[in-house]
Amino acid sequence: MKRFTTLDVSSPPYSSHHYPGKVFDFVDEIIAGGVRIEGMLTESLTGKSAPEFSGLRGWLNTPPLTVARLRGKVVLLDFWTYSCVNCVRSLPHMKMLHKEYAGGPFVLIGVHTPEFEFEKLPENVASAVKRFGIGYPVAIDSENTTWKLYGNQYWPRQTLIDSSGMVRWEHAGEGDYDKMGDRIRDLLKETGRQEESKDNARSNILENFRFMPNTTPEIYAGTLRSQGFGNGQVYEPGSRTRFIDPGKHSRDMPYLGGDWTQFPEYVVHATTESGYILLKYGARNANAVLGASDTKPVRVDVELDGKPIEKGKAGADIQWDSMGSFLLVAENRLYDIVRTKDFETHELKLITKADDLRLYTYTFG
């Protein structure tokens, strides 16, 4: 049996990755150039023994598992976080792999590793697992301990471990799901289980992400990774500031209107008077990680190019009433706002009178 020891970081247009700010500009430049990305992991573990799980705050859908006790099984680790759009788009493929190979010597484990503070709470992870209909085991890695042991830097990432406990394949980003299935089958054959070769029919029934050149990059709002706002005025992080919209807007730059305060992870609306966040972007899909400090739902009116969003362009979280299109932000999570079939350029405006609406980040596809 041919052994494979491959670090596979997918290339556009078949994948997209969610990166921390410290490597984002470098990676975005590579993606824009359309070249294959290699060696982006802090440390590749391919060909080495898989580290034991460590520092977990709990498990969902299973009693606690260990790498040692999983010997004899092929194990796929999917590192993800529930507010990452790239991870969310990969979940149907993970669920299909779980369904296809469950019952044999194969285990798929979602390792939930947070990007934001609110994602650290086990109850929030449990809510997300239920919302997405995930039935396979999920490890709650709230302090990023296991994430670091596996040399990770971004979401999503998959690590495939053979029945002897050795890391045999690593992959970052979306895409290559058929290749992932091929690798799983190869390792299952090594255990003595014969798997018939599958064609591409199973993955073709799911939407595969296609990277579109010139897509607006992820835009963070908090001081930790923000590139600033387009208002062109001086403001002090942590202090309430009245932002004046200059009226002319550059693409890929957020603009604030009204009173806002910037904190490390987010910017928050600071008054019950009307305020807004405006962004001119280019993409097929537009999403935002939003939240509120209170448990009471917050209304956010949504305009696309100065008008309510048409139903043919609305994301799954958009609602309508006599006043127009809106979101109800009831929890800290990713909100699906705009979906179009083709790449388009629009001005997206989020308007609120709530004094605790938080914007963490915009993501696009």
Side-chain angles (χ1 to χ4, degrees):
M1 177 64 64
K2 180 179 179 182
R3 296 177 64 85
F4 46 86
T5 52
T6 305
L7 166 61
D8 193 345
V9 184
S10 298
S11 60
Y14 305 108
S15 68
S16 184
H17 315 70
H18 186 88
Y19 299 92
K22 65 180 181 179
V23 298
F24 180 82
D25 291 339
F26 171 61
V27 171
D28 189 57
E29 180 177 327
I30 291 177
I31 289 177
V35 300
R36 193 168 188 81
I37 305 169
E38 300 288 353
M40 290 298 297
L41 301 180
T42 303
E43 178 186 3
S44 173
L45 298 182
T46 302
K48 301 178 182 179
S49 294
E52 187 57 81
F53 303 131
S54 180
L56 301 179
R57 291 186 63 179
W59 288 83
L60 299 170
N61 300 332
T62 183
L65 300 173
T66 66
V67 171
R69 291 178 183 175
L70 289 169
R71 292 286 178 92
K73 295 181 179 290
V74 175
V75 180
L76 177 64
L77 303 181
D78 177 43
F79 290 88
W80 71 295
T81 187
Y82 71 81
S83 73
C84 162
V85 67
N86 311 104
C87 300
V88 171
R89 284 197 293 252
S90 73
L91 287 177
H93 300 275
M94 296 300 108
K95 290 160 68 175
M96 181 166 283
L97 287 171
H98 169 65
K99 180 179 180 180
E100 185 168 348
Y101 297 107
F106 172 77
V107 179
L108 194 160
I109 299 173
V111 183
H112 185 274
T113 308
E115 180 176 16
F116 299 110
E117 285 294 318
F118 66 82
E119 294 174 304
K120 291 184 176 182
L121 300 176
E123 58 267 33
N124 289 352
V125 181
S127 176
V129 166
K130 182 178 180 180
R131 183 170 67 251
F132 291 125
I134 297 172
Y136 50 81
V138 174
I140 303 176
D141 184 28
S142 294
E143 302 307 320
N144 296 42
T145 305
T146 295
W147 157 286
K148 293 174 183 175
L149 288 174
Y150 278 82
N152 209 353
Q153 288 189 358
Y154 35 68
W155 302 264
R157 180 187 163 204
Q158 294 82 33
T159 298
L160 189 58
I161 304 169
D162 68 16
S163 58
S164 68
M166 180 181 293
V167 175
R168 297 286 293 279
W169 189 70
E170 298 173 86
H171 176 275
E174 300 175 62
D176 282 344
Y177 302 112
D178 290 315
K179 184 185 292 185
M180 202 174 298
D182 291 341
R183 297 294 185 260
I184 292 170
R185 285 190 293 276
D186 286 344
L187 291 186
L188 286 173
K189 288 178 183 177
E190 292 184 9
T191 70
R193 172 170 171 170
Q194 294 299 311
E195 285 289 333
E196 63 180 20
S197 180
K198 304 288 195 305
D199 58 25
N200 293 333
R202 63 173 174 78
S203 62
N204 286 343
I205 66 174
L206 298 176
E207 177 185 1
N208 281 302
F209 175 75
R210 294 179 294 109
F211 178 81
M212 303 293 290
N214 203 32
T215 295
T216 295
E218 182 162 17
I219 295 175
Y220 290 91
T223 57
L224 289 176
R225 283 170 286 186
S226 172
Q227 300 297 311
F229 303 104
N231 300 72
Q233 60 190 93
V234 177
Y235 61 93
E236 182 179 351
S239 298
R240 175 172 164 173
T241 302
R242 174 153 293 185
F243 288 87
I244 307 300
D245 188 342
K248 186 176 181 180
H249 307 128
S250 299
R251 219 197 83 165
D252 302 347
M253 177 65 69
Y255 295 81
L256 300 175
D259 290 10
W260 296 82
T261 305
Q262 189 184 42
F263 291 100
E265 288 194 341
Y266 56 85
V267 62
V268 60
H269 190 231
T271 176
T272 54
E273 297 177 4
S274 183
Y276 61 84
I277 312 164
L278 184 148
L279 179 68
K280 186 176 182 179
Y281 74 90
R284 291 179 303 164
N285 306 324
N287 314 272
V289 178
L290 302 167
S293 58
D294 201 346
T295 56
K296 183 179 179 181
V298 168
R299 180 181 174 118
V300 180
D301 292 301
V302 182
E303 292 181 356
L304 199 64
D305 303 324
K307 301 176 182 179
I309 298 181
E310 303 170 9
K311 291 192 175 182
K313 294 186 176 181
D317 289 308
I318 293 293
Q319 302 181 48
W320 292 267
D321 63 10
S322 60
M323 299 181 66
S325 52
F326 67 97
L327 297 166
L328 276 183
V329 177
E331 57 183 317
N332 295 281
R333 66 173 178 87
L334 180 74
Y335 288 83
D336 183 355
I337 303 175
V338 182
R339 282 180 174 266
T340 55
K341 292 182 179 179
D342 300 312
F343 181 98
E344 298 180 6
T345 299
H346 295 287
E347 275 197 353
L348 176 62
K349 192 174 186 180
L350 306 180
I351 309 163
T352 188
K353 291 184 178 180
D355 61 359
D356 61 349
L357 176 71
R358 300 175 178 181
L359 169 68
Y360 291 83
T361 182
Y362 289 102
T363 59
F364 303 90

